[in-house]
Amino acid sequence: MKNKAIWFMMILITWQLIYYTGVFDPLIFPSLGQILQALKESVTSGNIINELLYSIELISLGMILGIAFSAVMVILSLKSAIFESFVDAMISIIHPLPGIALLPLVILWFGTGSKSVIFIIFHSVLWPLLLNLKTGIKSIPGIYGETAQLIGVAGIDKFKDIYIPASMPYIIAGLKISWARAWRALISAEMIFGAAGGKGGIGWYIFKQRVFMDTPGMFAGLIVIIVMGVIVEELLFTVLEKQTIRKWGMSK
């Protein structure tokens, strides 16, 4: 965290120095003071907070659905070789497709409301998490399954108590990838759909600032996204790693 803070400060200093050189028009390259002022005004008015909370609501629903479906699909894959081949085929076919490429179909299916945004997030989360979970389970030494069979652990208990803990490094890696892809999909979808469901998210906030040529406001929105990413990384994934793979001695 300390090293990240140092690099972050260096980036800010470099930004301000570039601003002082006057190489770029202040209209497209505002100073840090202007950006912070725009951020302060947006936070004070509550606009950016409300839109961020709406985005978090959408991304949480998409993440929960993606995690649940990936778990169910992996469990069914473990029980059926036919279903496993189906899942492998779907990963090969659908996983490379970016969520934005599906937007025309999603609009036809769900319209331009919040359901479409959630579906795009769900698509972005499901496949990388499913792929990592399957890879993690396949990498588990065979002795684990044999031991579980000897002590009578089977079914959902075997998946929950054996497969999940043993493949935790892959699961956390999949969650990180899914979170990053979900954020990108969310912001892109919000910029295209606008105020989905009568509400606007952080992507819609950035889009509005661009329309009105409020460049400091645009960067203020980007800062909020960056801060959210750092918070999730440090307070969720880092803590999860400490309580699992590092605590269990699964990482170097």
Side-chain angles (χ1 to χ4, degrees), residues 68-87 130 133-134 137 155-156 159 163:
F69 269 77
S70 63
V72 171
M73 292 176 75
V74 168
I75 291 174
L76 293 176
S77 296
L78 293 173
K79 292 182 173 294
S80 170
I82 296 176
F83 190 81
E84 182 180 13
S85 66
F86 166 75
V87 170
L130 181 59
L133 186 53
K134 280 177 59 63
I137 290 175
I156 191 66
F159 178 78
Y163 289 148

Side-chain angles (χ1 to χ4, degrees), residues 31 57 99 152 176 184 242 246:
S31 67
E57 178 185 342
K176 287 183 177 181
R184 291 197 294 269
K242 288 180 180 179
R246 295 182 188 175

Side-chain angles (χ1 to χ4, degrees), residues 23-96:
V23 174
F24 300 102
D25 190 322
L27 185 63
I28 63 173
F29 200 93
S31 67
L32 292 178
Q34 293 172 318
I35 295 173
L36 291 177
Q37 180 62 30
L39 179 59
K40 178 182 177 183
E41 292 174 357
S42 297
V43 171
T44 302
S45 66
N47 291 336
I48 201 168
I49 299 299
N50 292 332
E51 290 171 344
L52 174 63
L53 291 176
Y54 183 63
S55 291
I56 293 175
E57 178 185 342
L58 293 179
I59 202 170
S60 297
L61 288 172
M63 288 286 292
I64 290 171
L65 288 173
I67 292 170
F69 269 77
S70 63
V72 171
M73 292 176 75
V74 168
I75 291 174
L76 293 176
S77 296
L78 293 173
K79 292 182 173 294
S80 170
I82 296 176
F83 190 81
E84 182 180 13
S85 66
F86 166 75
V87 170
D88 290 339
M90 289 298 98
I91 291 176
S92 300
I93 296 170
I94 302 178
H95 179 46

Side-chain angles (χ1 to χ4, degrees), residues 140 144-145 148 151 153 157-167:
I140 297 174
Y144 283 39
I151 61 178
V153 177
D157 289 333
K158 184 177 181 180
F159 178 78
K160 176 173 62 73
D161 298 331
I162 304 296
Y163 289 148
I164 292 296
S167 57

Side-chain angles (χ1 to χ4, degrees), residues 210-225:
R210 186 195 69 81
V211 170
F212 293 106
M213 285 305 293
D214 181 7
T215 311
M218 288 174 54
F219 282 108
L222 293 176
I223 287 176
V224 169
I225 294 174

